[in-house]
Amino acid sequence: MNTSVIDTGPVCVLGEGPGVVHQFWQAHRRGRLIGLRTSGTTTGAGRVIVRSTDSWVDSLDAVAQRCALTPHDRIWIPGPMGSTMNLFAACLAVHNGVEWSSDKPECATIWQLTPARLSSLLDAGLPRSQRLREVIVAGDSLSRGLRDRATTRGINVVHYYGAAEMSMIAMGSCRDDLELFDKVEVRTTDGTIWVRSPWLAQGYLRATPDAPRQPESPAPLRRSDDGFVTVGDRGALAGRRLIVAGRDGAVTTAGQTVILAPLLDRLRHRAQGELFLLGLPHATLGQVLTAVVTRREDLGPVRAWAREHLTGGDRPRCWLWVPRPPLTASGKVDLRALALDLAGPTDGPDAP
């Protein structure tokens, strides 16, 4: 088993500005490998993911078919092109002769959004564009409830699960009906999702000897001898249906370590809006397991279910309603910023 840190030939490391789409297609015409920068983690610097342009381009026809994309469409892609999700959407548009822009959503027939941005737009009560027919949602798990809020307004929803290192893995309308994408094989080992497909990255670019030294965090991408890779996401496979529980994180409360991914999966199925789990500092417990919901209507029912079905450290002791959690530049919920914002409980801890 290796961590896929590689030495390779010349790599075109893409920038983050508007010209990055042109850089991608220029590298494709020249048959060059590309490098995509990651944002990094709390414990180390970002990395450069190395992949062939074909590992994206050869999948774009199948994605377009799943999204019923036509040359008459126009895609709105808010957020920076340094995000692989947004860059992939722009490349999808160019490959299929579709116009795209980062502004003027009212002129678009398709919106490319994260779940958090979709929720904010629906909450704002904006009048539905007469042209808008579909939203493509990625970057985080999309709940059935949020999907239904969009479909009741006559908007088709396409949701996909992937990773910057593995590209497209599964597609559906929400996290409850994801099915494996074309030419994707998945196996689960001890609850960890492993993927083999033509859409995988080659690995992370090894830093050059003269590069500034920066703290390293453990590389999430691991590769088996038979070509399957993982970034540590948890889940289960039923036929071609993939249930994704998320990447392992943990909260230590009263001396007990609580693995968040399986617990989050159980709670999210009971919420109509989005739900997140955090460990907030506590003078006695070390951390208090905290559930955050984005719809106030979820506080009572989901909390009641947790009191009845969860025990010990697995039961969140604090429940908070945050209708508009902070977002990263790419539109994902920023859990680190959210934890910093929540200086004190607003709904009080549950009794043991």
Side-chain angles (χ1 to χ4, degrees):
M1 202 80 66
N2 63 69
T3 56
S4 295
V5 177
I6 61 175
D7 297 300
T8 187
V11 174
C12 177
V13 179
L14 303 187
E16 299 182 357
V20 67
V21 181
H22 174 74
Q23 291 176 12
F24 176 92
W25 289 107
Q26 187 177 55
H28 182 65
R29 288 190 294 271
R30 295 177 177 177
R32 295 185 61 184
L33 296 174
I34 58 169
L36 303 169
R37 298 184 186 276
T38 67
S39 59
T41 69
T42 56
T43 57
R47 290 182 169 80
V48 175
I49 299 170
V50 178
R51 64 166 59 247
S52 70
T53 56
D54 285 341
S55 67
W56 273 12
V57 173
D58 290 350
S59 72
L60 295 179
D61 286 337
V63 176
Q65 185 176 7
R66 298 284 189 97
C67 299
L69 202 62
T70 76
H72 303 292
D73 282 311
R74 181 184 177 91
I75 305 178
W76 176 49
I77 311 173
M81 284 295 119
S83 164
T84 54
M85 176 189 75
N86 293 333
L87 178 58
F88 185 87
C91 291
L92 172 68
V94 172
H95 179 74
N96 288 279
V98 173
E99 291 187 28
W100 69 274
S101 70
S102 58
D103 55 8
K104 298 182 178 179
E106 67 279 1
C107 298
T109 58
I110 298 174
W111 292 353
Q112 158 88 25
L113 303 171
T114 61
R117 280 205 166 120
L118 173 60
S119 180
S120 296
L121 288 166
L122 292 173
D123 288 343
L126 298 176
R128 183 165 66 87
S129 165
Q130 294 300 309
R131 301 192 65 199
L132 179 64
R133 65 172 183 84
E134 182 174 274
V135 290
I136 302 172
V137 186
D140 205 347
S141 177
L142 176 67
S143 69
R144 182 187 296 269
L146 185 51
R147 179 208 62 188
D148 290 347
R149 291 178 61 197
T151 56
T152 55
R153 299 186 61 175
I155 304 170
N156 186 49
V157 178
V158 175
H159 177 48
Y160 73 81
Y161 158 67
E165 296 90 343
M166 298 189 289
S167 193
M168 195 72 67
I169 298 172
M171 298 185 78
S173 68
C174 68
R175 63 176 170 239
D176 293 339
D177 61 11
L178 291 170
E179 292 193 356
L180 299 186
F181 184 65
D182 299 46
K183 301 180 182 180
V184 171
E185 300 173 71
V186 167
R187 70 184 182 203
T188 56
T189 304
D190 297 326
T192 298
I193 297 171
W194 290 81
V195 177
R196 183 167 64 185
S197 82
W199 324 129
L200 304 178
Q202 295 187 6
Y204 302 109
L205 183 64
R206 189 182 301 278
T208 59
D210 58 345
R213 293 185 62 84
Q214 294 179 306
E216 283 289 330
S217 57
L221 181 66
R222 292 177 290 147
R223 189 182 304 272
S224 68
D225 293 338
D226 56 355
F228 280 84
V229 304
T230 185
V231 290
D233 283 349
R234 310 283 293 177
L237 186 67
R240 290 190 59 80
R241 183 183 169 216
L242 184 63
I243 299 96
V244 182
R247 200 165 300 181
D248 272 349
V251 167
T252 301
T253 178
Q256 179 179 348
T257 299
V258 180
I259 304 300
L260 298 183
L263 179 59
L264 183 62
D265 186 51
R266 296 181 71 187
L267 289 169
R268 276 179 163 173
H269 281 295
R270 274 82 194 174
Q272 292 299 304
E274 298 303 294
L275 185 147
F276 309 96
L277 292 175
L278 303 170
L280 297 184
H282 190 278
T284 305
L285 301 176
Q287 290 179 299
V288 58
L289 181 60
T290 302
V292 178
V293 297
T294 59
R295 299 198 77 186
R296 193 168 193 171
E297 298 87 341
D298 285 331
L299 272 178
V302 184
R303 185 176 186 175
W305 182 91
R307 282 175 169 168
E308 182 177 351
H309 294 90
L310 302 177
T311 59
D314 282 347
R315 176 153 64 86
R317 304 296 171 170
C318 185
W319 291 78
L320 304 174
W321 168 51
V322 181
R324 293 179 180 83
L327 305 181
T328 65
S330 60
K332 300 179 183 180
V333 171
D334 190 333
L335 294 179
R336 285 176 291 180
L338 179 60
L340 290 173
D341 288 347
L342 299 175
T346 61
D347 199 19
D350 276 359

Coordinates of all heavy atoms in Angstrom, one line a residue, residues 96-163:
N96 N -18.7 20.6 -24.4 CA -20.0 20.4 -25.1 C -20.6 21.6 -25.8 O -21.8 21.6 -26.1 CB -21.0 19.9 -24.0 CG -20.8 18.5 -23.6 OD1 -21.1 17.5 -24.3 ND2 -20.1 18.3 -22.4
G97 N -19.7 22.6 -26.0 CA -20.1 23.8 -26.7 C -21.2 24.6 -26.0 O -22.0 25.3 -26.6
V98 N -21.1 24.6 -24.7 CA -22.1 25.3 -23.8 C -21.5 26.6 -23.2 O -20.4 26.5 -22.8 CB -22.6 24.4 -22.7 CG1 -23.5 25.1 -21.8 CG2 -23.4 23.2 -23.3
E99 N -22.2 27.7 -23.2 CA -21.7 28.9 -22.6 C -21.8 28.7 -21.1 O -22.7 28.1 -20.5 CB -22.6 30.1 -23.0 CG -22.4 30.5 -24.5 CD -23.1 31.8 -24.8 OE1 -23.3 32.6 -23.9 OE2 -23.5 32.0 -25.9
W100 N -20.8 29.4 -20.4 CA -20.9 29.4 -18.9 C -20.4 30.7 -18.5 O -19.7 31.4 -19.2 CB -20.0 28.2 -18.4 CG -18.5 28.4 -18.6 CD1 -17.8 28.1 -19.6 CD2 -17.6 29.1 -17.7 NE1 -16.4 28.4 -19.5 CE2 -16.3 29.0 -18.3 CE3 -17.7 29.6 -16.4 CZ2 -15.2 29.6 -17.6 CZ3 -16.6 30.2 -15.8 CH2 -15.4 30.1 -16.4
S101 N -20.7 31.1 -17.2 CA -20.3 32.3 -16.7 C -20.3 32.2 -15.1 O -21.0 31.3 -14.6 CB -21.1 33.5 -17.1 OG -22.4 33.4 -16.5
S102 N -19.6 33.1 -14.5 CA -19.6 33.1 -13.0 C -20.6 34.2 -12.5 O -20.7 34.3 -11.3 CB -18.2 33.4 -12.5 OG -17.7 34.6 -13.0
D103 N -21.3 34.8 -13.4 CA -22.3 35.8 -12.9 C -23.5 35.6 -13.8 O -23.7 34.7 -14.5 CB -21.7 37.3 -13.1 CG -21.2 37.5 -14.5 OD1 -21.4 36.7 -15.4 OD2 -20.6 38.6 -14.7
K104 N -24.5 36.5 -13.6 CA -25.8 36.5 -14.3 C -26.5 35.1 -14.2 O -26.8 34.5 -15.2 CB -25.6 36.8 -15.8 CG -25.0 38.3 -15.9 CD -24.9 38.6 -17.4 CE -24.4 40.0 -17.6 NZ -24.2 40.4 -19.0
P105 N -26.8 34.7 -13.0 CA -27.5 33.4 -12.8 C -28.9 33.4 -13.5 O -29.4 32.4 -13.9 CB -27.6 33.2 -11.3 CG -27.5 34.6 -10.7 CD -26.5 35.3 -11.7
E106 N -29.5 34.6 -13.6 CA -30.8 34.7 -14.2 C -30.8 34.4 -15.7 O -31.9 34.1 -16.2 CB -31.4 36.2 -14.0 CG -30.6 37.3 -14.7 CD -29.4 37.7 -14.1 OE1 -29.0 37.2 -13.0 OE2 -28.7 38.7 -14.7
C107 N -29.7 34.4 -16.3 CA -29.6 34.0 -17.7 C -29.3 32.5 -17.9 O -29.3 32.1 -19.1 CB -28.6 34.8 -18.4 SG -28.9 36.6 -18.4
A108 N -29.0 31.8 -16.9 CA -28.6 30.4 -17.0 C -29.7 29.4 -17.0 O -30.8 29.7 -16.4 CB -27.6 30.1 -15.9
T109 N -29.5 28.3 -17.7 CA -30.5 27.2 -17.6 C -30.1 26.2 -16.6 O -30.9 25.4 -16.1 CB -30.6 26.5 -19.0 OG1 -29.3 26.0 -19.4 CG2 -31.1 27.5 -20.0
I110 N -28.8 26.2 -16.2 CA -28.3 25.2 -15.2 C -27.4 26.0 -14.3 O -26.6 26.8 -14.6 CB -27.4 24.1 -15.9 CG1 -28.3 23.3 -16.9 CG2 -26.8 23.2 -14.9 CD1 -27.5 22.3 -17.7
W111 N -27.6 25.6 -13.0 CA -26.7 26.2 -11.9 C -25.8 25.1 -11.4 O -26.3 24.0 -11.1 CB -27.5 26.8 -10.8 CG -28.3 28.0 -11.2 CD1 -28.2 28.7 -12.3 CD2 -29.2 28.7 -10.3 NE1 -29.0 29.8 -12.3 CE2 -29.7 29.8 -11.0 CE3 -29.7 28.5 -9.0 CZ2 -30.6 30.7 -10.5 CZ3 -30.6 29.4 -8.5 CH2 -31.0 30.5 -9.2
Q112 N -24.5 25.3 -11.2 CA -23.6 24.4 -10.5 C -23.4 24.9 -9.1 O -22.8 26.0 -8.9 CB -22.3 24.3 -11.3 CG -21.1 23.8 -10.5 CD -20.9 22.3 -10.5 OE1 -21.4 21.7 -11.4 NE2 -20.3 21.8 -9.4
L113 N -23.8 24.2 -8.1 CA -23.8 24.7 -6.7 C -23.4 23.6 -5.7 O -23.5 22.4 -6.0 CB -25.2 25.1 -6.3 CG -25.9 26.2 -7.2 CD1 -27.4 26.3 -6.8 CD2 -25.2 27.5 -7.1
T114 N -22.9 24.1 -4.6 CA -22.8 23.2 -3.4 C -24.1 23.2 -2.7 O -25.0 24.0 -2.9 CB -21.8 23.8 -2.4 OG1 -22.2 25.1 -2.0 CG2 -20.4 23.9 -3.1
P115 N -24.4 22.2 -1.8 CA -25.6 22.1 -1.1 C -25.9 23.4 -0.3 O -27.0 23.9 -0.2 CB -25.5 20.9 -0.2 CG -24.6 20.0 -0.9 CD -23.6 21.0 -1.6
A116 N -24.8 24.0 0.3 CA -25.0 25.2 1.1 C -25.4 26.3 0.3 O -26.3 27.1 0.7 CB -23.7 25.5 1.8
R117 N -24.9 26.5 -0.9 CA -25.3 27.6 -1.8 C -26.7 27.4 -2.3 O -27.5 28.3 -2.4 CB -24.3 27.8 -2.9 CG -23.0 28.5 -2.5 CD -22.4 29.2 -3.7 NE -21.4 30.1 -3.3 CZ -20.1 30.1 -3.6 NH1 -19.7 29.1 -4.4 NH2 -19.2 31.0 -3.2
L118 N -27.1 26.2 -2.6 CA -28.5 25.9 -3.0 C -29.4 26.2 -1.9 O -30.5 26.9 -2.2 CB -28.6 24.4 -3.4 CG -30.0 23.9 -3.7 CD1 -30.6 24.7 -4.9 CD2 -30.0 22.4 -4.0
S119 N -29.1 25.8 -0.7 CA -30.0 26.1 0.4 C -30.2 27.6 0.6 O -31.3 28.1 0.8 CB -29.4 25.5 1.7 OG -30.2 25.8 2.8
S120 N -29.1 28.4 0.5 CA -29.1 29.8 0.7 C -30.0 30.5 -0.4 O -30.8 31.4 -0.1 CB -27.7 30.4 0.7 OG -26.9 30.0 1.7
L121 N -29.8 30.0 -1.6 CA -30.6 30.6 -2.7 C -32.1 30.3 -2.5 O -33.0 31.2 -2.8 CB -30.1 30.1 -4.0 CG -28.8 30.6 -4.5 CD1 -28.2 29.8 -5.6 CD2 -28.9 32.1 -4.9
L122 N -32.4 29.1 -2.1 CA -33.8 28.8 -1.9 C -34.4 29.6 -0.7 O -35.6 30.0 -0.7 CB -34.0 27.3 -1.6 CG -33.7 26.4 -2.8 CD1 -33.7 24.9 -2.4 CD2 -34.7 26.6 -3.9
D123 N -33.6 29.8 0.4 CA -34.0 30.5 1.5 C -34.3 32.0 1.2 O -35.2 32.6 1.8 CB -33.0 30.4 2.6 CG -32.9 29.1 3.3 OD1 -33.9 28.3 3.2 OD2 -31.9 28.8 4.0
A124 N -33.5 32.5 0.2 CA -33.7 33.9 -0.1 C -35.0 34.2 -0.8 O -35.4 35.4 -1.0 CB -32.5 34.3 -1.0
G125 N -35.7 33.1 -1.3 CA -37.0 33.3 -1.9 C -36.8 34.1 -3.3 O -37.8 34.8 -3.7
L126 N -35.7 33.9 -4.0 CA -35.6 34.5 -5.3 C -36.5 34.0 -6.3 O -36.8 32.8 -6.3 CB -34.1 34.3 -5.8 CG -33.0 34.9 -4.9 CD1 -31.7 34.5 -5.5 CD2 -33.1 36.4 -4.8
P127 N -37.1 34.8 -7.1 CA -38.0 34.3 -8.2 C -37.3 33.4 -9.1 O -36.1 33.7 -9.5 CB -38.5 35.6 -8.9 CG -37.4 36.6 -8.6 CD -36.9 36.3 -7.2
R128 N -37.9 32.3 -9.4 CA -37.2 31.3 -10.3 C -37.1 31.8 -11.7 O -38.0 32.4 -12.3 CB -38.0 30.0 -10.3 CG -37.4 28.9 -11.1 CD -38.0 27.6 -10.8 NE -39.4 27.5 -11.3 CZ -39.7 27.1 -12.5 NH1 -38.8 26.9 -13.4 NH2 -41.0 27.1 -12.8
S129 N -35.8 31.7 -12.2 CA -35.6 32.1 -13.6 C -36.5 31.3 -14.5 O -36.7 30.2 -14.3 CB -34.1 31.9 -13.9 OG -33.9 31.9 -15.3
Q130 N -37.0 32.0 -15.5 CA -37.8 31.4 -16.5 C -37.0 30.3 -17.3 O -37.6 29.4 -17.9 CB -38.4 32.4 -17.4 CG -39.4 33.3 -16.7 CD -40.6 32.5 -16.1 OE1 -41.2 31.7 -16.8 NE2 -40.8 32.8 -14.8
R131 N -35.7 30.5 -17.3 CA -34.8 29.6 -18.1 C -34.3 28.4 -17.2 O -34.0 27.4 -17.8 CB -33.7 30.4 -18.7 CG -34.1 31.5 -19.6 CD -32.8 32.0 -20.3 NE -32.3 31.0 -21.3 CZ -31.1 31.0 -21.8 NH1 -30.2 31.9 -21.4 NH2 -30.7 30.0 -22.6
L132 N -34.2 28.6 -15.9 CA -33.6 27.6 -15.1 C -34.4 26.3 -15.1 O -35.5 26.3 -14.8 CB -33.5 28.1 -13.6 CG -32.8 27.1 -12.6 CD1 -31.4 26.8 -13.0 CD2 -32.9 27.7 -11.2
R133 N -33.7 25.2 -15.4 CA -34.3 23.9 -15.4 C -33.6 22.9 -14.6 O -34.2 21.8 -14.2 CB -34.4 23.4 -16.9 CG -33.0 23.1 -17.5 CD -33.2 22.3 -18.8 NE -31.9 22.0 -19.4 CZ -31.2 20.9 -19.1 NH1 -31.7 20.0 -18.2 NH2 -30.0 20.6 -19.6
E134 N -32.4 23.1 -14.2 CA -31.6 22.1 -13.5 C -30.5 22.7 -12.6 O -30.0 23.8 -12.9 CB -31.0 21.2 -14.5 CG -30.2 20.0 -13.9 CD -29.7 19.1 -15.0 OE1 -30.5 18.2 -15.4 OE2 -28.6 19.2 -15.5
V135 N -30.3 22.1 -11.5 CA -29.1 22.4 -10.7 C -28.2 21.1 -10.6 O -28.7 20.0 -10.4 CB -29.4 22.9 -9.3 CG1 -30.1 24.3 -9.4 CG2 -30.4 22.0 -8.5
I136 N -26.9 21.3 -10.7 CA -25.9 20.2 -10.5 C -25.3 20.5 -9.2 O -24.7 21.6 -9.0 CB -24.9 20.2 -11.6 CG1 -25.5 20.0 -13.0 CG2 -23.9 19.1 -11.3 CD1 -24.5 20.2 -14.1
V137 N -25.5 19.6 -8.2 CA -25.0 19.8 -6.8 C -23.9 18.9 -6.5 O -24.0 17.7 -6.7 CB -26.2 19.7 -5.9 CG1 -25.8 20.0 -4.5 CG2 -27.4 20.5 -6.3
A138 N -22.8 19.5 -6.0 CA -21.6 18.6 -5.6 C -20.9 19.4 -4.5 O -21.2 20.5 -4.1 CB -20.8 18.4 -6.8
G139 N -19.8 18.8 -4.1 CA -18.9 19.4 -3.1 C -19.2 19.0 -1.7 O -18.4 19.1 -0.8
D140 N -20.4 18.4 -1.4 CA -20.8 18.0 -0.1 C -22.1 17.1 -0.3 O -22.6 17.1 -1.4 CB -21.1 19.1 0.8 CG -20.9 18.7 2.3 OD1 -20.8 17.5 2.6 OD2 -20.9 19.6 3.1
S141 N -22.5 16.5 0.7 CA -23.6 15.6 0.7 C -24.9 16.4 0.6 O -25.2 17.3 1.3 CB -23.6 14.7 1.9 OG -24.7 13.9 2.0
L142 N -25.8 16.0 -0.4 CA -27.1 16.6 -0.6 C -28.2 15.8 0.0 O -28.4 14.7 -0.3 CB -27.3 16.8 -2.1 CG -28.7 17.4 -2.5 CD1 -28.8 18.9 -2.0 CD2 -29.0 17.3 -4.0
S143 N -29.0 16.4 0.9 CA -30.0 15.7 1.6 C -31.3 15.6 0.7 O -31.5 16.4 -0.2 CB -30.4 16.4 2.9 OG -31.1 17.7 2.6
R144 N -32.1 14.6 1.0 CA -33.3 14.4 0.3 C -34.3 15.6 0.5 O -34.9 16.1 -0.4 CB -34.0 13.1 0.8 CG -35.4 12.8 0.0 CD -36.0 11.6 0.7 NE -35.3 10.4 0.6 CZ -35.4 9.5 -0.4 NH1 -36.3 9.8 -1.4 NH2 -34.6 8.5 -0.5
G145 N -34.3 16.2 1.7 CA -35.1 17.3 2.0 C -34.7 18.5 1.1 O -35.6 19.2 0.6
L146 N -33.4 18.8 1.0 CA -33.0 19.9 0.2 C -33.3 19.7 -1.3 O -33.7 20.6 -2.0 CB -31.5 20.2 0.4 CG -30.9 21.5 -0.2 CD1 -31.7 22.7 0.1 CD2 -29.5 21.6 0.2
R147 N -33.1 18.5 -1.7 CA -33.5 18.1 -3.1 C -34.9 18.4 -3.4 O -35.3 19.0 -4.4 CB -33.1 16.7 -3.4 CG -33.5 16.2 -4.8 CD -33.8 14.8 -4.9 NE -35.0 14.4 -4.1 CZ -35.3 13.1 -3.9 NH1 -34.6 12.1 -4.4 NH2 -36.4 12.9 -3.2
D148 N -35.8 18.0 -2.4 CA -37.2 18.1 -2.6 C -37.6 19.6 -2.6 O -38.6 20.0 -3.3 CB -38.0 17.4 -1.5 CG -37.9 15.9 -1.6 OD1 -37.5 15.4 -2.7 OD2 -38.3 15.2 -0.6
R149 N -36.9 20.4 -1.9 CA -37.3 21.9 -1.9 C -37.0 22.4 -3.3 O -37.7 23.3 -3.7 CB -36.4 22.6 -0.9 CG -36.8 22.3 0.6 CD -35.8 23.0 1.5 NE -36.0 24.5 1.4 CZ -35.1 25.4 1.8 NH1 -33.9 24.9 2.4 NH2 -35.2 26.7 1.6
A150 N -36.0 21.9 -4.0 CA -35.7 22.4 -5.3 C -36.7 21.8 -6.3 O -37.2 22.6 -7.2 CB -34.3 22.1 -5.7
T151 N -37.0 20.5 -6.2 CA -37.9 19.9 -7.2 C -39.3 20.4 -7.1 O -40.0 20.5 -8.1 CB -37.9 18.4 -7.1 OG1 -38.2 18.0 -5.7 CG2 -36.5 17.8 -7.4
T152 N -39.7 20.8 -5.9 CA -41.1 21.4 -5.8 C -41.2 22.7 -6.5 O -42.3 23.2 -6.8 CB -41.5 21.6 -4.3 OG1 -40.5 22.4 -3.7 CG2 -41.6 20.2 -3.6
R153 N -40.1 23.3 -6.9 CA -40.1 24.6 -7.6 C -39.9 24.3 -9.1 O -39.6 25.2 -9.9 CB -39.0 25.5 -7.1 CG -39.3 26.0 -5.7 CD -38.3 27.0 -5.2 NE -38.4 28.2 -6.0 CZ -37.7 29.3 -5.7 NH1 -36.9 29.4 -4.7 NH2 -37.8 30.4 -6.4
G154 N -40.0 23.0 -9.5 CA -39.9 22.6 -10.9 C -38.5 22.5 -11.4 O -38.2 22.6 -12.6
I155 N -37.5 22.4 -10.5 CA -36.1 22.3 -10.9 C -35.6 20.9 -10.8 O -35.7 20.3 -9.7 CB -35.2 23.3 -10.0 CG1 -35.7 24.7 -10.1 CG2 -33.8 23.2 -10.5 CD1 -35.1 25.6 -9.1
N156 N -35.0 20.3 -11.9 CA -34.4 19.0 -11.8 C -33.1 19.1 -11.0 O -32.4 20.1 -11.1 CB -34.2 18.5 -13.2 CG -33.7 17.1 -13.2 OD1 -34.3 16.2 -12.6 ND2 -32.6 16.8 -13.9
V157 N -32.8 18.1 -10.3 CA -31.6 18.1 -9.5 C -30.7 16.9 -9.9 O -31.2 15.7 -9.9 CB -31.9 18.0 -8.0 CG1 -30.6 17.9 -7.2 CG2 -32.7 19.2 -7.5
V158 N -29.4 17.2 -10.2 CA -28.4 16.1 -10.4 C -27.4 16.3 -9.3 O -26.8 17.4 -9.2 CB -27.8 16.2 -11.8 CG1 -26.7 15.2 -11.9 CG2 -28.8 16.0 -12.9
H159 N -27.1 15.2 -8.6 CA -26.1 15.3 -7.5 C -25.0 14.2 -7.8 O -25.3 13.1 -8.2 CB -26.8 14.9 -6.2 CG -25.9 14.9 -5.0 ND1 -25.0 15.9 -4.7 CD2 -25.8 14.0 -4.0 CE1 -24.3 15.6 -3.6 NE2 -24.7 14.4 -3.2
Y160 N -23.8 14.6 -7.6 CA -22.7 13.6 -7.7 C -21.8 13.6 -6.5 O -21.6 14.6 -5.9 CB -22.0 13.8 -9.1 CG -21.1 15.0 -9.2 CD1 -19.8 14.9 -8.7 CD2 -21.4 16.1 -9.9 CE1 -18.9 16.0 -8.8 CE2 -20.6 17.2 -10.1 CZ -19.3 17.1 -9.5 OH -18.4 18.2 -9.7
Y161 N -21.2 12.5 -6.3 CA -20.2 12.3 -5.3 C -18.9 12.0 -6.0 O -18.8 11.2 -6.9 CB -20.6 11.1 -4.4 CG -19.4 10.5 -3.6 CD1 -18.7 11.3 -2.7 CD2 -19.0 9.2 -3.9 CE1 -17.6 10.7 -2.0 CE2 -18.0 8.6 -3.2 CZ -17.3 9.4 -2.3 OH -16.2 8.8 -1.6
G162 N -17.8 12.7 -5.6 CA -16.5 12.4 -6.1 C -15.5 13.0 -5.2 O -15.8 13.4 -4.0
A163 N -14.3 13.1 -5.6 CA -13.2 13.7 -4.8 C -12.2 14.2 -5.8 O -12.1 13.8 -7.0 CB -12.5 12.6 -3.9

